[in-house]
Amino acid sequence: MLPMMRITLIVLLSFFVLACNTTPKNQNSIVETKDEYVIDSNAMALNDQAMKLHIFGPNDSLLLDSAIYLLDKATNMDSNYFIAYSNKIMYLFMKGDWDRALETNRKIRDLQPGVPNWIMREGWINEMLGKTSQANYYYNEGVISFEELLSDSSKYHWTIEFDYAHALVFVDQYDQGEMVIEKLQKQYPNELTLIGYELPKKELILTLAVGK
């Protein structure tokens, strides 16, 4: 796989996962789920309808607006429907509607409090809104959240530490992030994701994160 393709694939599927269909694998140990919660079937149908529109980019503006409209209906119908919010924020990123993306991400954080990836995403959105001080605040909060999570061995998964390495880039600790990646490569030499992986710089990470 070409280096850029490798970076794009890994970043989109791991650190910058937007949870298009389910909770990311490396969040399963983080998020406390409510067994009694059942997704509203009508909301689920609207979500599925939105995901069948085959939107490939911001140029598909009519389809993009249609998907967001359907997902708005889904989340209005079921205000706890995490997957629909996750899909919605994916399309809002694609559209560049940062104000609504911020609103949606806060709802996601309400539903899954303490997940460091969502805290980092709050920082990216604020950065796209030109709110640098707010962005830096959330980057630091995200790193702290990762460190708290990593201190609990019962919740450890190498992908969380992988995500942490990327988060360090946003608080001007690129070298420390590189050290984390190198440590993981030694600990998990057969993990395909890590073979030959080079930690991207902040500008590239942010570009891949927000699709702009």
Side-chain angles (χ1 to χ4, degrees), residues 2 26 96 181:
L2 295 173
N26 62 322
I181 295 295

Side-chain angles (χ1 to χ4, degrees), residues 2-210:
L2 295 173
M4 178 61 70
M5 291 175 65
R6 169 178 285 278
I7 289 171
T8 303
L9 178 63
I10 292 170
V11 171
L12 289 178
L13 293 184
S14 182
F15 185 47
F16 303 120
V17 80
L18 294 178
C20 295
N21 294 301
T22 187
T23 303
K25 179 180 178 182
N26 62 322
Q27 304 299 342
N28 288 344
S29 60
I30 304 173
V31 178
E32 297 294 332
T33 58
K34 297 180 180 180
D35 292 338
E36 68 274 13
Y37 170 62
V38 177
I39 299 169
D40 183 283
S41 59
N42 292 320
M44 188 183 300
L46 288 166
N47 176 78
D48 292 347
Q49 187 178 347
M51 299 311 292
K52 291 176 181 177
L53 291 178
H54 302 297
I55 299 167
F56 298 103
N59 291 331
D60 297 322
S61 57
L62 291 177
L63 289 177
L64 195 54
D65 287 340
S66 295
I68 293 169
Y69 171 75
L70 289 168
L71 292 165
D72 279 340
K73 289 184 68 176
T75 53
N76 286 336
M77 193 172 292
D78 185 343
S79 62
N80 293 314
Y81 192 4
F82 174 83
I83 295 171
Y85 285 109
S86 296
N87 290 332
K88 187 193 301 188
I89 202 169
M90 174 179 66
Y91 290 133
L92 291 169
F93 268 40
M94 199 177 292
K95 187 176 181 179
D97 189 341
W98 307 117
D99 288 312
R100 287 210 60 204
L102 188 62
E103 175 189 335
T104 304
N105 194 61
R106 286 175 177 167
K107 180 60 180 179
I108 287 171
R109 291 182 59 206
D110 286 342
L111 292 173
Q112 293 190 346
V115 177
N117 299 68
W118 310 156
I119 300 172
M120 292 300 299
R121 188 161 61 188
E122 194 100 352
W124 310 330
I125 298 169
N126 274 286
E127 185 144 344
M128 297 308 295
L129 286 167
K131 299 177 179 179
T132 305
S133 60
Q134 290 95 323
N136 289 333
Y137 170 81
Y138 286 109
Y139 294 151
N140 280 288
E141 287 297 302
V143 167
I144 291 170
S145 183
F146 270 118
E147 290 173 348
E148 290 174 349
L149 182 61
L150 288 167
S151 69
D152 186 347
S153 59
S154 68
K155 294 182 177 180
Y156 181 82
H157 190 277
W158 72 264
T159 55
I160 297 173
E161 197 164 10
F162 180 82
D163 293 353
Y164 171 60
H166 291 79
L168 287 170
V169 176
F170 286 85
V171 292
D172 298 322
Q173 296 184 40
Y174 182 86
D175 290 344
Q176 291 91 327
E178 276 192 319
M179 291 172 62
V180 171
I181 295 295
E182 290 170 3
K183 178 175 78 75
L184 289 171
Q185 288 170 331
K186 291 177 181 177
Q187 288 179 325
Y188 304 96
N190 298 320
E191 179 56 58
L192 292 178
T193 297
L194 296 169
I195 296 174
Y197 187 78
E198 296 181 9
L199 187 65
K201 299 292 186 179
K202 176 182 175 180
E203 292 74 16
L204 178 56
I205 296 175
L206 187 61
T207 297
L208 294 170
V210 302

